[in-house]
Amino acid sequence: MASRIAAGEVVERPASVVKELMENSLDAGATEIFVWLEKSGTAAIRITDNGEGMTPEDLALAVERHATSKLKADDDLFRIATLGFRGEALPSIGSIAKMAISSRPASSLSGAKLSVDGGKKGEVHAAAAGLGTTIEIRDIFYNTPARRKFLKAPATELSHVCDVVNRLALANPQVHFRLQHDGRTVADYVAVKQERDRLQQVLGIDVAKSLKPFSSSQGELTVSGFLSTAPTSYPNARYLFTFVNRRYVRDKVLTHAVLQGYDTLLMKGQYPAVVLFLEIPYAEVDVNVHPAKYEVRFRRQSEVHEAVSRSIRSALQRDAREPGGFAQADRLATPSHQWRPNYSHPSSISLAVGEGSLGYNTGGVTSAQMLRRGGGMFPVPTVEGQHRVGFFSSLTLHDQILGCYLVCTATDRMILIDQHAAHERIAFEKLRRQLQADAVERQDLLIPQTVEISAGEHLMLEQKLDVLERHGFTLEPFGPSSYAITSVPALLPEGDYTQLVRQMVAELAEVDTSARLRQHLEDRLATMACHSVIRANRKLESEEMIALLRDLDQVEFATQCPHGRPVLVELSRDELERMFKRIL
Ligand code: ADP
Ligand code: MG
């Protein structure tokens, strides 16, 4: 058995010790796990749990290499349900630090204690111990100075420990976690029944508030969790958590699937906040590929990818149909102060947020004044049957201001719409729909435009003419080294199309898989759509504004332009009242 388990370093830094020990506590069924650190864990780490504990015999065995109580049969290695299974953590930790374990199972009245010092195992002896297990680690790397040197600044090591605690806490809301550092409480997450409450404890109220639940299953796969919807986004993946059977993983396939689910809803370089739980039969996933088990391998990788990105996408689609609607219903309960993570050092507070909120605070006064100014009020008429009666059509439209924003209100909020972003999204979605239906509307050019093609491109282009055709471009051979563009997508503005065709040809040459081709052509479409729309600073007639709102109801993801900029910003009654200090 031992030889079939991937070997490798488990202990890199204090946070890796904390991770292994806390995972053992969870595997032991603990509902309370308390962690004490001295000097960011470099001086001491103590972890106490109320799990099932160990008998003196278990204890002696626990620190032996490849002794694990968690795999009973050989086959178990292919169905791993526990967080640990290698039997490596305790002996590895014992070899690079001074370790003392005391434990008492429910079946016994007295406890037992065992020390391991730099790999030297002591005797098990009787000792007073509470129910469960306490493990104390002192002087990590004291006998391997070279590795001690690799430790980072104390604040960095502590923030790694915080990350570990937070990830385990997100996956186990029913467990009470407490982290104390040099006598101060860094995090105290009491057990909660609702996953949502745990989000608030771990991520803070602002991030948690922006998250919406989602869930979908397909056969034996279940994808669920919470995600941020437009326009919230962050400049890094700090709030992107993926769990496989409640094990935190950093998996490229999952992350890619999540981002693909967001598709054009995010600006380049922006990330969503997502807490994703994938439940998958144990036999379908190999967790034995990385010593710290941060990576996994799926037996059917592309199916997992597809299921995850579809799940995210449909949750976002559902949300985009009703922007604003959730904000009221989903408001979180006021947090009790102990739920807040209160990091005691600056490096983990600066969670790189900042983006996301749309500057409600700064623009507040002027928006309110704008509202009062209110131009001619005309509710937007809706044409039943022909159009879906949607969110945008239901708004009361006041006026266009500053040459590019439509001021609207609903019963309990005011909404500003960026007409340029709105037009972009509409044009983009129209083109995309036509493309997907293989029905791109085209218009013939009065005077065909010619593109010069190199000898190498010639052959390739010949094979790809149908792809261009599908995108609305008809090309006909014209002389030995050029083609004539005879028709283009009707949604494109007039102009010089040769450049565009040349770019598409270059892309066709580069892109191999059809999925990537689709992505590229959609990017291209987004750019095309943006050039085809009304630029900002044009006065719109009221009929044009009404048509715009109605069109927005017809498209998916109406809340973001194809480059991920928001189409609308909202100020709820709550937010207005807070701005004016009517409520605090
Ligand atoms: P693994 O978790 O891979 O089994 P470890 O070296 O982490 O290996 O732990 C070895 C064994 O010690 C575990 O299989 C378990 O039986 C026991 N053990 C470790 N920590 C605890 C704990 N907190 N409570 C109960 N048993 C524990
Ligand atoms: Mg373990």
Side-chain angles (χ1 to χ4, degrees):
M1 167 68 62
S3 60
R4 287 162 54 191
I5 298 174
E9 295 293 339
V10 220
V11 186
E12 239 182 322
R13 52 175 15 131
S16 10
V17 172
V18 173
K19 172 179 182 286
E20 294 296 333
L21 298 184
M22 288 178 74
E23 288 187 348
N24 281 345
S25 299
L26 287 167
D27 281 343
T31 55
E32 277 175 6
I33 303 177
F34 298 154
V35 182
W36 285 265
L37 305 178
E38 271 172 42
K39 292 209 176 77
S40 304
T42 56
I45 298 169
R46 182 154 41 100
I47 298 196
T48 293
D49 70 50
N50 66 347
E52 65 184 10
M54 285 173 274
T55 64
E57 300 74 49
D58 291 342
L59 195 50
L61 213 63
V63 298
E64 295 295 335
R65 221 160 256 285
H66 300 306
T68 177
S69 61
K70 296 169 196 174
L71 301 183
K72 310 281 191 233
D74 245 23
D75 260 8
D76 283 356
L77 192 49
F78 303 101
R79 292 188 300 262
I80 288 166
T82 49
L83 291 167
F85 55 86
R86 291 203 178 97
E88 260 184 333
L90 291 186
S92 302
I93 295 166
S95 69
I96 50 94
K98 299 167 187 164
M99 174 167 79
I101 311 177
S102 41
S103 193
R104 177 166 76 80
S107 57
S108 161
L109 287 176
S110 62
K113 185 167 179 172
L114 169 66
S115 300
V116 180
D117 187 341
K120 282 196 292 292
K121 185 176 151 188
E123 293 293 314
V124 177
H125 56 260
L131 186 66
T133 303
T134 294
I135 304 193
E136 189 165 294
I137 313 295
R138 293 204 155 268
D139 302 331
I140 185 171
F141 300 143
Y142 79 102
N143 52 356
T144 49
R147 294 180 56 191
R148 211 180 160 84
K149 269 200 290 219
F150 277 106
L151 292 177
K152 298 273 184 334
T156 309
E157 294 301 336
L158 180 58
S159 85
H160 283 296
V161 175
C162 291
D163 287 345
V164 162
V165 173
N166 284 343
R167 290 164 191 158
L168 289 169
L170 283 175
N172 298 279
Q174 77 292 353
V175 176
H176 182 179
F177 293 89
R178 185 185 295 148
L179 172 62
Q180 290 180 309
H181 176 240
D182 288 344
R184 294 176 61 184
T185 301
V186 176
D188 192 3
Y189 309 143
V190 297
V192 288
K193 289 214 175 63
Q194 304 285 332
E195 266 173 354
R196 191 175 247 309
D197 293 332
R198 183 47 58 92
L199 297 184
Q200 188 172 330
Q201 294 171 322
V202 173
L203 304 175
I205 187 161
D206 285 341
V207 174
K209 200 171 64 178
S210 72
L211 297 179
K212 283 185 224 175
F214 71 98
S215 147
S216 67
S217 337
Q218 180 195 331
E220 293 180 303
L221 276 188
T222 302
V223 187
S224 67
F226 297 84
L227 47 68
S228 62
T229 57
T232 312
S233 68
Y234 303 92
N236 54 40
R238 169 146 208 132
Y239 297 117
L240 208 168
F241 299 90
T242 51
F243 298 86
V244 175
N245 295 334
R246 298 275 149 176
R247 180 196 303 279
Y248 172 80
V249 297
R250 284 187 289 245
D251 182 72
K252 285 202 206 76
V253 174
L254 287 184
T255 310
H256 185 267
V258 167
L259 296 179
Q260 183 154 312
Y262 276 85
D263 200 23
T264 52
L265 288 181
L266 291 165
M267 277 194 262
K268 270 222 158 52
Q270 291 287 302
Y271 292 84
V274 176
V275 178
L276 179 132
F277 298 107
L278 173 69
E279 306 297 334
I280 182 169
Y282 294 116
E284 289 286 321
V285 57
D286 185 1
V287 291
N288 192 23
V289 291
H290 184 267
K293 311 180 202 83
Y294 275 133
E295 284 160 30
V296 291
R297 199 172 291 138
F298 296 109
R299 263 187 45 196
R300 283 178 270 191
Q301 172 174 321
S302 59
E303 277 165 49
V304 170
H305 187 280
E306 174 66 20
V308 168
S309 87
R310 185 144 20 92
S311 172
I312 299 262
R313 196 175 169 81
S314 62
L316 292 168
Q317 277 167 340
R318 216 173 320 119
D319 177 70
R321 261 173 245 142
E322 267 296 294
F326 73 92
Q328 298 288 314
D330 262 14
R331 279 261 186 264
L332 291 164
T334 328
S336 87
H337 74 280
Q338 68 186 14
W339 285 10
R340 298 273 201 133
N342 79 48
Y343 296 107
S344 59
H345 67 99
S347 84
S348 66
I349 300 183
S350 58
L351 292 169
V353 196
E355 302 287 317
S357 101
L358 282 163
Y360 286 146
N361 302 330
T362 48
V365 179
T366 36
S367 344
Q369 284 168 347
M370 288 175 341
L371 182 62
R372 206 167 310 132
R373 205 191 63 118
M377 282 231 229
F378 36 89
V380 180
T382 50
V383 185
E384 303 284 341
Q386 189 183 355
H387 294 289
R388 179 152 50 104
V389 183
F391 170 79
F392 290 97
S393 317
S394 71
L395 299 176
T396 304
L397 173 63
H398 296 265
D399 202 358
Q400 180 204 41
I401 56 157
L402 306 174
C404 67
Y405 303 106
L406 309 191
V407 182
C408 306
T409 48
T411 44
D412 57 351
R413 58 193 52 239
M414 77 164 278
I415 291 138
L416 292 172
I417 295 171
D418 178 336
Q419 73 183 47
H420 184 219
H423 273 125
E424 274 182 21
R425 177 50 82 178
I426 292 166
F428 175 67
E429 288 292 339
K430 274 189 190 155
L431 257 175
R432 169 144 79 175
R433 236 182 275 160
Q434 293 180 358
L435 181 70
Q436 279 168 356
D438 262 335
V440 177
E441 263 175 62
R442 63 191 72 232
Q443 71 188 34
D444 291 339
L445 295 182
L446 224 47
I447 307 163
Q449 300 179 359
T450 52
V451 239
E452 294 286 316
I453 301 282
S454 73
E457 286 169 329
H458 209 94
L459 202 69
M460 199 262 318
L461 189 61
E462 245 171 21
Q463 295 164 352
K464 302 286 170 122
L465 279 177
D466 56 324
V467 181
L468 287 173
E469 182 82 33
R470 275 193 51 210
H471 285 78
F473 294 91
T474 311
L475 270 69
E476 285 163 14
F478 189 78
S481 64
S482 55
Y483 273 84
I485 310 171
T486 56
S487 71
V488 298
L491 276 163
L492 286 194
E494 275 172 53
D496 180 3
Y497 305 106
T498 57
Q499 200 51 33
L500 195 60
V501 168
R502 226 187 287 281
Q503 282 170 0
M504 292 181 75
V505 170
E507 258 151 32
L508 289 173
E510 258 176 37
V511 176
D512 36 2
T513 70
S514 58
R516 274 185 63 210
L517 180 62
R518 205 202 101 224
Q519 187 63 47
H520 273 252
L521 294 177
E522 280 197 358
D523 284 354
R524 178 74 45 228
L525 279 180
T527 321
M528 298 196 303
C530 294
H531 291 303
S532 71
V533 303
I534 315 165
R535 288 280 151 206
N537 302 317
R538 187 168 83 68
K539 178 79 192 138
L540 291 186
E541 298 304 325
S542 59
E543 292 73 31
E544 287 181 287
M545 293 192 259
I546 294 167
L548 182 65
L549 293 181
R550 239 183 355 229
D551 280 351
L552 277 174
D553 279 326
Q554 305 302 310
V555 302
E556 282 169 16
F557 300 126
T559 50
Q560 306 278 287
C561 92
H563 296 116
R565 286 193 297 110
V567 166
L568 85 168
V569 298
E570 297 178 76
L571 279 172
S572 67
R573 183 198 301 272
D574 255 22
E575 280 155 330
L576 284 168
E577 289 184 345
R578 229 170 295 143
M579 243 174 239
F580 287 106
K581 310 271 183 242
R582 287 160 160 269
I583 54 171
L584 293 173

